[in-house]
Amino acid sequence: MKKVGELLVEQGLITREHLLEALDLQKVFPDQPVGQLLCKLGFIKESDLGFVLDQKNKRRKLTDILLESSLIDPQKIYQARELAKQNNISLEKALLKLNYIDEESLSKAVASQYDMPYVQINAQDIDLSLSRYISAVYAQKQRIAPISKIGNTLTLAMAQPLKSHDIRELEDSIRLKIISAIATETSIAHSLKRLYNIDSVSTVTANDEVNLDIVPDSIIDLLSKTSAGDEPEVEEETKKVTEKDSVIVKLVNKIIYDAYMNKASDIHIEPYPGKKDVIVRTRVDGQCSIYQRIPYKYKFALPSRIKIMGDLDIAERRKPQDGKIEFKKFGPLDIELRVATMPTVGGLEDVVIRVLASGDPIGFGDLGLTERNLRVFKESLARPHGLILVVGPTGSGKTTTLHSGLAQINQTNRKIWTAEDPVEITQAGLRQVQVNPRIGFTFAVALRSFLRLDPDVIMVGEMRDEETASTAVEASLTGHLVFSTLHTNSAPETVTRLLEMGLDPYSFSDSLVCILAQRLARRLCKDCKTSFVPSEAEFEELVDEYDRSKFATTGIERAETTMFRAVGCDRCGHTGYRGRLGIHEVLECTDELKSLIKRRADTDNVREQAAKDGMTTLKQDGIIKVLHGLTDIYEVRRVCIK
């Protein structure tokens, strides 16, 4: 990679002597970039330097500058990026809104990034006559302010650098040389107020202000604002909740915001009788942990606030309710939440909030399927018709796997209908439908309707009853590829479950293509996991658990095996685990298996035949992933019952 000085010499913008002089000066000022020193020595114009840096992609990233100067840590940058993406704002604005950095430090970092001077402006010292050089409209639009003029040179303060050709056009129109400097947006706003008597607030929408100002308080700050008092009255606390500026409003938003940022799937709010704290727990990577203890005086107010957000009846505290929250109306994230309340002892209510993982499907290669399982699943997806099932308990990633499979075949020449409850993952090209059992719009009704809508591929969220299952089988036999899920423990058990449900064994055996059973185990944290060579006893125990007679087929040798154990660090919340990986069992419906289904064979016979056809059980797949260093055996034993 060529350095900036060499590029400038190559372009003929400076001589080698100029570069050597700047390098000598850099020994005196080591924190100054060479480009800036060349400008100060008068060897090159700032605009020319900026053009070369941008053209050659030589600019340092703002995040790198902030990290190097220890102004911020990677976790905060990640959170700011998430916020920026959700609200379509710049990273700089997100960092400021989250109070992760002050305006002055950020502006100094921007100045360093663009090799420009940073200036502090005192608006009262600005000469009002400067307003005649730049029009008010242009100054407000570009967020720039003229702050001084010496001879033929005008100094322009700006929040973000203007493009070099904009500077040149401006120089031509006002017939003055321009020196650019970076200043804070607030100081520029004050300067514009003095020069043109305009308020520069139009750059941020009122909506941004309302949404983003909710986030910054830390949970400790919010709880410190609570007033001392005795046991609260239900009615009193419920009235408080409706106040817009209440601490409760910010508190609920903060709980939801932190849960989303920590990748939690659920939030549990658990009030207790008497003067015991309200416990707030979050479920991250399938494990619940205490997020915060909230003072007991909020035990009525918290559930009431959440019920208001979810359009539930706050006066009804005797029976369960459920609803949903569009969080973008209340806070800075565009996410959907599912809410369920349950009356508990002492006239209290528990609330559980499900954070829906909306977004795009994960890549097919990132599902973590082993070579054989990936091949079978891919071949099944390529079939023109048939039934593909993904099974496992709630929260085992079935919908994610199905959507990744659908993404593989989602092409313009295929019409794909999906019926889901709820629609969590969205894909362009799919026609997605949300079922509503309360009004009689069930999976079975949706499925029958789909058959009149000329589909090629149908996905049904779940086979909850015999009607849905038999309609799905019929659809697969009439030339459609049908995907669905089921709550069963393993792939072989699924076959017997569906036969017991009342499916015709002949139709079912003809339609079934493959069954993929899955679990989610926590992945070892990449930043802190430590390797070790297993002892003879540890390795032999794993071989026995796998099935000694079949272990040779894995191709894993004792001598080459290195395993890893969980340690714990700041990045993983001192758990030793971060993220999750799939453990799979893929049953391929071969001719031998079809004949077993027709004879209504029991689960053991189905499992035996599937193993002969090359199926590895969930436990075996998990052990392979342990030996590859992705997770540990404790996680595999926790999620696999056999």
Side-chain angles (χ1 to χ4, degrees):
M1 290 285 283
K2 287 187 179 167
K3 294 188 174 172
V4 174
E6 291 169 14
L7 285 169
L8 294 170
V9 172
E10 263 182 32
Q11 303 254 331
L13 292 165
I14 58 166
T15 64
R16 191 151 290 281
E17 288 70 32
H18 290 154
L19 177 59
L20 293 171
E21 196 174 327
L23 289 169
D24 283 340
L25 188 59
Q26 197 179 37
K27 290 170 187 167
V28 184
F29 302 105
D31 59 333
Q32 295 278 312
V34 169
Q36 209 163 335
L37 292 170
L38 286 163
C39 291
K40 284 180 179 170
L41 289 165
F43 295 152
I44 189 169
K45 280 188 189 172
E46 278 181 13
S47 56
D48 290 336
L49 173 66
F51 178 73
V52 170
L53 288 172
D54 289 334
Q55 194 184 37
K56 299 293 179 185
N57 204 15
K58 280 284 180 181
R59 288 250 179 257
R60 282 198 300 161
K61 287 182 182 168
L62 182 65
T63 48
D64 291 344
I65 294 168
L66 294 171
L67 288 168
E68 280 166 27
S69 52
S70 302
L71 287 166
I72 200 159
D73 60 50
Q75 182 67 17
K76 287 182 174 174
I77 285 176
Y78 167 76
Q79 290 181 349
R81 278 210 178 103
E82 287 287 306
L83 183 68
K85 208 188 298 174
Q86 287 277 347
N87 289 276
N88 200 20
I89 57 172
S90 66
L91 177 67
E92 292 92 320
K93 192 162 284 179
L95 287 166
L96 291 171
K97 286 291 177 188
L98 290 164
N99 279 357
Y100 285 165
I101 193 167
D102 60 83
E103 232 190 327
E104 189 177 345
S105 301
L106 184 62
S107 293
K108 283 179 178 173
V110 171
S112 168
Q113 183 189 16
Y114 288 96
D115 295 313
M116 288 167 69
Y118 167 77
V119 288
Q120 280 181 313
I121 312 168
N122 184 351
Q124 298 310 311
D125 295 344
I126 297 176
D127 183 353
L128 290 174
S129 66
L130 293 171
S131 61
R132 71 173 189 267
Y133 295 108
I134 308 285
S135 78
V137 175
Y138 188 76
Q140 190 178 16
K141 184 186 171 194
Q142 300 286 9
R143 294 180 297 159
I144 59 173
I147 54 171
S148 76
K149 178 178 175 287
I150 299 166
N152 229 16
T153 304
L154 183 73
T155 302
L156 271 187
M158 50 194 73
Q160 286 288 333
L162 288 181
K163 291 190 168 66
S164 49
H165 70 264
D166 288 339
I167 296 275
R168 279 198 288 274
E169 279 179 15
L170 206 51
E171 284 179 331
D172 291 343
S173 67
I174 63 173
R175 307 220 170 146
L176 292 172
K177 185 180 183 307
I178 288 174
I179 291 178
S180 304
I182 295 290
T184 63
E185 202 152 336
T186 305
S187 65
I188 289 169
H190 291 155
S191 306
L192 293 176
K193 176 81 174 161
R194 174 163 168 78
L195 286 165
Y196 308 103
N197 200 24
I198 54 173
D199 288 318
S200 181
V201 292
S202 60
T203 50
V204 180
T205 65
N207 194 33
D208 276 348
E209 287 298 335
V210 171
N211 283 346
L212 295 171
D213 285 343
I214 286 162
V215 174
D217 290 333
S218 78
I219 194 104
I220 307 299
D221 291 344
L222 287 168
L223 295 176
S224 68
K225 291 176 187 173
T226 149
S227 55
D230 294 324
E231 181 82 6
E233 287 291 321
V234 181
E235 277 70 28
E236 234 175 83
E237 287 299 306
T238 308
K239 277 177 204 154
K240 277 188 197 175
V241 157
T242 54
E243 296 169 20
K244 189 79 185 82
D245 60 344
S246 168
V247 173
I248 311 286
V249 173
K250 289 191 170 187
L251 191 57
V252 171
N253 284 339
K254 184 64 180 162
I255 290 168
I256 293 167
Y257 179 82
D258 283 357
Y260 175 80
M261 284 303 181
N262 292 327
K263 293 188 160 54
S265 59
D266 301 86
I267 305 163
H268 298 252
I269 292 165
E270 302 164 351
Y272 289 86
K275 296 193 175 184
K276 290 180 184 168
D277 289 343
V278 178
I279 305 285
V280 179
R281 296 198 282 168
T282 56
R283 188 183 293 280
V284 179
D285 292 337
Q287 295 285 293
C288 265
S289 61
I290 292 178
Y291 155 74
Q292 194 68 47
R293 292 173 186 274
I294 311 276
Y296 67 89
K297 54 178 69 69
Y298 291 125
K299 66 185 179 186
F300 301 120
L302 277 174
S304 295
R305 171 61 191 161
I306 294 163
K307 283 161 84 173
I308 286 170
M309 292 166 78
D311 288 330
L312 304 178
D313 181 0
I314 66 166
E316 179 55 78
R317 288 188 296 276
R318 296 166 305 164
K319 63 182 184 185
Q321 297 184 64
D322 60 89
K324 65 178 181 179
I325 298 171
E326 297 285 346
F327 189 59
K328 65 181 171 188
K329 293 178 190 168
F330 309 99
L333 302 170
D334 185 6
I335 54 174
E336 189 180 314
L337 309 165
R338 288 294 164 114
V339 184
T341 69
M342 176 60 74
T344 48
V345 179
L348 300 167
E349 274 183 299
D350 269 38
V351 182
V352 177
I353 301 170
R354 161 63 60 94
V355 183
L356 295 182
S358 56
D360 302 321
I362 67 168
F364 196 68
D366 299 328
L367 289 175
L369 290 158
T370 55
E371 195 180 334
R372 180 259 172 192
N373 290 347
L374 190 68
R375 176 185 58 76
V376 172
F377 195 41
K378 253 187 170 171
E379 284 171 4
S380 303
L381 293 170
R383 296 280 282 269
H385 55 81
L387 181 65
I388 296 173
L389 298 173
V390 178
V391 304
T394 302
S396 59
K398 300 187 294 294
T399 307
T400 306
T401 300
L402 276 180
H403 268 280
S404 295
L406 283 174
Q408 287 291 103
I409 57 172
N410 182 4
Q411 291 149 358
T412 49
N413 61 349
R414 279 189 147 160
K415 177 77 174 196
I416 304 174
W417 282 99
T418 79
E420 299 167 71
D421 185 22
V423 176
E424 290 186 50
I425 300 168
T426 53
Q427 281 189 62
L430 303 190
R431 307 310 300 143
Q432 294 176 267
V433 173
Q434 170 102 33
V435 299
N436 187 347
R438 285 182 188 171
I439 59 167
F441 185 34
T442 60
F443 284 120
V445 171
L447 184 49
R448 277 200 303 274
S449 302
F450 286 168
L451 294 174
R452 296 191 285 273
L453 296 167
D454 186 31
D456 293 302
V457 180
I458 296 169
M459 174 181 137
V460 189
E462 194 186 327
M463 284 186 178
R464 289 180 182 163
D465 49 50
E466 193 270 335
E467 186 188 5
T468 313
S470 56
T471 313
V473 168
E474 280 170 35
S476 64
L477 290 171
T478 53
H480 307 97
L481 189 60
V482 180
F483 294 81
S484 191
T485 72
L486 218 73
H487 289 129
T488 53
N489 288 320
S490 69
E493 281 175 48
T494 308
V495 173
T496 45
R497 165 76 65 84
L498 286 166
L499 289 171
E500 282 163 11
M501 243 189 213
L503 286 188
D504 172 44
Y506 288 91
S507 302
F508 178 41
S509 64
D510 284 347
S511 69
L512 187 63
V513 175
C514 87
I515 302 172
L516 186 152
Q518 81 173 52
R519 297 288 186 281
L520 290 177
R522 290 184 297 169
R523 195 184 283 271
L524 288 168
C525 173
K526 289 175 188 168
D527 294 313
C528 63
K529 67 178 181 180
T530 57
S531 62
F532 70 98
V533 175
S535 66
E536 192 72 40
E538 283 173 315
F539 188 79
E540 290 304 314
E541 188 184 2
L542 282 181
V543 172
D544 285 335
E545 246 179 292
Y546 186 91
D547 186 342
R548 191 168 289 277
S549 62
K550 292 172 184 163
F551 190 77
T553 59
T554 63
I556 295 169
E557 296 294 331
R558 160 86 179 93
E560 297 161 13
T561 304
T562 304
M563 286 162 62
F564 291 84
R565 59 168 62 97
V567 179
C569 65
D570 289 338
R571 297 295 301 278
C572 61
H574 299 281
T575 60
Y577 304 93
R578 196 163 91 245
R580 291 196 281 180
L581 81 154
I583 292 173
H584 309 94
E585 174 177 282
V586 180
L587 176 147
E588 187 177 8
C589 195
T590 57
D591 292 338
E592 291 78 11
L593 203 67
K594 284 181 193 294
S595 62
L596 280 179
I597 295 172
K598 283 170 186 162
R599 297 203 302 272
R600 292 181 179 272
D602 62 21
T603 307
D604 290 338
N605 290 341
V606 172
R607 185 180 292 112
E608 213 174 286
Q609 183 57 51
K612 283 180 192 168
D613 296 333
M615 182 188 86
T616 50
T617 65
L618 286 161
K619 188 76 166 280
Q620 289 170 341
D621 192 58
I623 289 168
I624 289 168
K625 280 159 185 171
V626 168
L627 295 169
H628 286 153
L630 300 172
T631 186
D632 59 27
I633 191 63
Y634 308 109
E635 271 300 292
V636 173
R637 285 176 187 146
R638 184 177 67 81
V639 298
C640 300
I641 53 170
K642 287 182 184 175

